[in-house]
PDB file of all heavy atoms in Angstrom:
ATOM      1  N   GLY A 683      -0.081  17.675  -9.085  1.00  0.00           N
ATOM      2  CA  GLY A 683       0.453  18.890  -9.702  1.00  0.00           C
ATOM      3  C   GLY A 683      -0.605  19.856 -10.056  1.00  0.00           C
ATOM      4  O   GLY A 683      -0.573  20.499 -11.125  1.00  0.00           O
ATOM      5  N   ILE A 684      -1.576  20.074  -9.128  1.00  0.00           N
ATOM      6  CA  ILE A 684      -2.617  21.127  -9.391  1.00  0.00           C
ATOM      7  C   ILE A 684      -2.611  22.106  -8.257  1.00  0.00           C
ATOM      8  O   ILE A 684      -2.207  21.772  -7.099  1.00  0.00           O
ATOM      9  CB  ILE A 684      -4.044  20.508  -9.554  1.00  0.00           C
ATOM     10  CG1 ILE A 684      -4.445  19.723  -8.268  1.00  0.00           C
ATOM     11  CG2 ILE A 684      -4.127  19.605 -10.764  1.00  0.00           C
ATOM     12  CD1 ILE A 684      -5.929  19.322  -8.275  1.00  0.00           C
ATOM     13  N   PRO A 685      -3.090  23.337  -8.450  1.00  0.00           N
ATOM     14  CA  PRO A 685      -3.121  24.336  -7.402  1.00  0.00           C
ATOM     15  C   PRO A 685      -4.004  23.880  -6.259  1.00  0.00           C
ATOM     16  O   PRO A 685      -4.979  23.191  -6.458  1.00  0.00           O
ATOM     17  CB  PRO A 685      -3.756  25.588  -8.082  1.00  0.00           C
ATOM     18  CG  PRO A 685      -3.644  25.349  -9.526  1.00  0.00           C
ATOM     19  CD  PRO A 685      -3.588  23.882  -9.762  1.00  0.00           C
ATOM     20  N   GLY A 686      -3.570  24.174  -5.020  1.00  0.00           N
ATOM     21  CA  GLY A 686      -4.340  23.824  -3.845  1.00  0.00           C
ATOM     22  C   GLY A 686      -4.015  22.463  -3.264  1.00  0.00           C
ATOM     23  O   GLY A 686      -4.553  22.084  -2.241  1.00  0.00           O
ATOM     24  N   GLU A 687      -3.091  21.767  -3.936  1.00  0.00           N
ATOM     25  CA  GLU A 687      -2.801  20.395  -3.528  1.00  0.00           C
ATOM     26  C   GLU A 687      -2.267  20.293  -2.069  1.00  0.00           C
ATOM     27  O   GLU A 687      -2.374  19.272  -1.419  1.00  0.00           O
ATOM     28  CB  GLU A 687      -1.812  19.758  -4.512  1.00  0.00           C
ATOM     29  CG  GLU A 687      -1.804  18.251  -4.414  1.00  0.00           C
ATOM     30  CD  GLU A 687      -1.129  17.617  -5.652  1.00  0.00           C
ATOM     31  OE1 GLU A 687      -0.793  18.344  -6.613  1.00  0.00           O
ATOM     32  OE2 GLU A 687      -0.899  16.392  -5.613  1.00  0.00           O
ATOM     33  N   ASP A 688      -1.663  21.417  -1.630  1.00  0.00           N
ATOM     34  CA  ASP A 688      -1.076  21.386  -0.264  1.00  0.00           C
ATOM     35  C   ASP A 688      -1.920  22.014   0.808  1.00  0.00           C
ATOM     36  O   ASP A 688      -1.527  22.143   1.941  1.00  0.00           O
ATOM     37  CB  ASP A 688       0.321  22.056  -0.306  1.00  0.00           C
ATOM     38  CG  ASP A 688       1.312  21.250  -1.150  1.00  0.00           C
ATOM     39  OD1 ASP A 688       1.301  20.011  -0.973  1.00  0.00           O
ATOM     40  OD2 ASP A 688       2.006  21.844  -1.972  1.00  0.00           O
ATOM     41  N   LEU A 689      -3.196  22.366   0.466  1.00  0.00           N
ATOM     42  CA  LEU A 689      -4.065  22.909   1.461  1.00  0.00           C
ATOM     43  C   LEU A 689      -4.402  21.848   2.528  1.00  0.00           C
ATOM     44  O   LEU A 689      -4.506  20.657   2.171  1.00  0.00           O
ATOM     45  CB  LEU A 689      -5.421  23.309   0.824  1.00  0.00           C
ATOM     46  CG  LEU A 689      -5.509  24.693   0.186  1.00  0.00           C
ATOM     47  CD1 LEU A 689      -6.904  24.768  -0.560  1.00  0.00           C
ATOM     48  CD2 LEU A 689      -5.433  25.781   1.217  1.00  0.00           C
ATOM     49  N   PRO A 690      -4.543  22.278   3.789  1.00  0.00           N
ATOM     50  CA  PRO A 690      -4.976  21.282   4.780  1.00  0.00           C
ATOM     51  C   PRO A 690      -6.339  20.667   4.345  1.00  0.00           C
ATOM     52  O   PRO A 690      -7.197  21.405   3.864  1.00  0.00           O
ATOM     53  CB  PRO A 690      -5.132  22.114   6.055  1.00  0.00           C
ATOM     54  CG  PRO A 690      -4.267  23.306   5.885  1.00  0.00           C
ATOM     55  CD  PRO A 690      -4.253  23.584   4.380  1.00  0.00           C
ATOM     56  N   GLY A 691      -6.413  19.383   4.452  1.00  0.00           N
ATOM     57  CA  GLY A 691      -7.637  18.721   3.988  1.00  0.00           C
ATOM     58  C   GLY A 691      -7.431  18.009   2.657  1.00  0.00           C
ATOM     59  O   GLY A 691      -8.227  17.209   2.215  1.00  0.00           O
ATOM     60  N   SER A 692      -6.317  18.343   1.980  1.00  0.00           N
ATOM     61  CA  SER A 692      -5.923  17.606   0.782  1.00  0.00           C
ATOM     62  C   SER A 692      -4.887  16.636   1.231  1.00  0.00           C
ATOM     63  O   SER A 692      -3.800  16.968   1.696  1.00  0.00           O
ATOM     64  CB  SER A 692      -5.305  18.578  -0.241  1.00  0.00           C
ATOM     65  OG  SER A 692      -4.573  17.808  -1.215  1.00  0.00           O
ATOM     66  N   VAL A 693      -5.280  15.358   1.200  1.00  0.00           N
ATOM     67  CA  VAL A 693      -4.366  14.324   1.776  1.00  0.00           C
ATOM     68  C   VAL A 693      -4.084  13.172   0.834  1.00  0.00           C
ATOM     69  O   VAL A 693      -4.906  12.879  -0.020  1.00  0.00           O
ATOM     70  CB  VAL A 693      -4.978  13.792   3.117  1.00  0.00           C
ATOM     71  CG1 VAL A 693      -4.993  14.806   4.228  1.00  0.00           C
ATOM     72  CG2 VAL A 693      -6.350  13.264   2.928  1.00  0.00           C
ATOM     73  N   ALA A 694      -2.945  12.551   1.070  1.00  0.00           N
ATOM     74  CA  ALA A 694      -2.564  11.441   0.255  1.00  0.00           C
ATOM     75  C   ALA A 694      -3.220  10.151   0.809  1.00  0.00           C
ATOM     76  O   ALA A 694      -3.386   9.984   2.001  1.00  0.00           O
ATOM     77  CB  ALA A 694      -1.043  11.253   0.358  1.00  0.00           C
ATOM     78  N   ALA A 695      -3.628   9.318  -0.140  1.00  0.00           N
ATOM     79  CA  ALA A 695      -4.210   8.025   0.247  1.00  0.00           C
ATOM     80  C   ALA A 695      -3.213   7.259   1.166  1.00  0.00           C
ATOM     81  O   ALA A 695      -3.597   6.568   2.092  1.00  0.00           O
ATOM     82  CB  ALA A 695      -4.582   7.182  -0.965  1.00  0.00           C
ATOM     83  N   THR A 696      -1.905   7.407   0.867  1.00  0.00           N
ATOM     84  CA  THR A 696      -0.908   6.758   1.695  1.00  0.00           C
ATOM     85  C   THR A 696      -1.065   7.096   3.177  1.00  0.00           C
ATOM     86  O   THR A 696      -1.043   6.204   4.027  1.00  0.00           O
ATOM     87  CB  THR A 696       0.578   7.159   1.299  1.00  0.00           C
ATOM     88  OG1 THR A 696       0.562   8.530   1.105  1.00  0.00           O
ATOM     89  CG2 THR A 696       1.024   6.480   0.063  1.00  0.00           C
ATOM     90  N   ASP A 697      -1.358   8.338   3.431  1.00  0.00           N
ATOM     91  CA  ASP A 697      -1.510   8.833   4.787  1.00  0.00           C
ATOM     92  C   ASP A 697      -2.799   8.281   5.406  1.00  0.00           C
ATOM     93  O   ASP A 697      -2.824   7.776   6.550  1.00  0.00           O
ATOM     94  CB  ASP A 697      -1.565  10.364   4.731  1.00  0.00           C
ATOM     95  CG  ASP A 697      -1.044  10.976   6.024  1.00  0.00           C
ATOM     96  OD1 ASP A 697      -0.459  10.214   6.869  1.00  0.00           O
ATOM     97  OD2 ASP A 697      -1.250  12.182   6.210  1.00  0.00           O
ATOM     98  N   PHE A 698      -3.878   8.324   4.596  1.00  0.00           N
ATOM     99  CA  PHE A 698      -5.177   7.825   5.100  1.00  0.00           C
ATOM    100  C   PHE A 698      -5.131   6.296   5.350  1.00  0.00           C
ATOM    101  O   PHE A 698      -5.632   5.806   6.381  1.00  0.00           O
ATOM    102  CB  PHE A 698      -6.278   8.232   4.094  1.00  0.00           C
ATOM    103  CG  PHE A 698      -7.650   8.044   4.642  1.00  0.00           C
ATOM    104  CD1 PHE A 698      -8.186   8.839   5.660  1.00  0.00           C
ATOM    105  CD2 PHE A 698      -8.490   6.998   4.127  1.00  0.00           C
ATOM    106  CE1 PHE A 698      -9.450   8.654   6.140  1.00  0.00           C
ATOM    107  CE2 PHE A 698      -9.763   6.849   4.636  1.00  0.00           C
ATOM    108  CZ  PHE A 698     -10.254   7.652   5.614  1.00  0.00           C
ATOM    109  N   VAL A 699      -4.525   5.616   4.412  1.00  0.00           N
ATOM    110  CA  VAL A 699      -4.391   4.146   4.570  1.00  0.00           C
ATOM    111  C   VAL A 699      -3.547   3.832   5.799  1.00  0.00           C
ATOM    112  O   VAL A 699      -3.892   2.996   6.633  1.00  0.00           O
ATOM    113  CB  VAL A 699      -3.783   3.524   3.308  1.00  0.00           C
ATOM    114  CG1 VAL A 699      -3.366   2.036   3.565  1.00  0.00           C
ATOM    115  CG2 VAL A 699      -4.733   3.576   2.103  1.00  0.00           C
ATOM    116  N   ASN A 700      -2.428   4.560   5.972  1.00  0.00           N
ATOM    117  CA  ASN A 700      -1.565   4.397   7.156  1.00  0.00           C
ATOM    118  C   ASN A 700      -2.421   4.563   8.414  1.00  0.00           C
ATOM    119  O   ASN A 700      -2.293   3.844   9.396  1.00  0.00           O
ATOM    120  CB  ASN A 700      -0.461   5.412   7.189  1.00  0.00           C
ATOM    121  CG  ASN A 700       0.719   4.954   6.352  1.00  0.00           C
ATOM    122  OD1 ASN A 700       0.809   3.839   5.890  1.00  0.00           O
ATOM    123  ND2 ASN A 700       1.725   5.833   6.182  1.00  0.00           N
ATOM    124  N   TRP A 701      -3.294   5.584   8.360  1.00  0.00           N
ATOM    125  CA  TRP A 701      -4.100   5.947   9.540  1.00  0.00           C
ATOM    126  C   TRP A 701      -5.042   4.814   9.925  1.00  0.00           C
ATOM    127  O   TRP A 701      -5.006   4.311  11.092  1.00  0.00           O
ATOM    128  CB  TRP A 701      -4.906   7.217   9.245  1.00  0.00           C
ATOM    129  CG  TRP A 701      -5.837   7.631  10.344  1.00  0.00           C
ATOM    130  CD1 TRP A 701      -5.516   8.143  11.539  1.00  0.00           C
ATOM    131  CD2 TRP A 701      -7.273   7.625  10.267  1.00  0.00           C
ATOM    132  NE1 TRP A 701      -6.661   8.437  12.279  1.00  0.00           N
ATOM    133  CE2 TRP A 701      -7.743   8.117  11.505  1.00  0.00           C
ATOM    134  CE3 TRP A 701      -8.206   7.216   9.299  1.00  0.00           C
ATOM    135  CZ2 TRP A 701      -9.118   8.237  11.782  1.00  0.00           C
ATOM    136  CZ3 TRP A 701      -9.540   7.344   9.588  1.00  0.00           C
ATOM    137  CH2 TRP A 701      -9.998   7.832  10.823  1.00  0.00           C
TER     138      TRP A 701
END
Side-chain angles (χ1 to χ4, degrees):
I684 60 169
E687 199 165 352
D688 294 316
L689 275 173
S692 162
V693 290
T696 43
D697 209 10
F698 191 69
V699 168
N700 276 352
W701 176 70

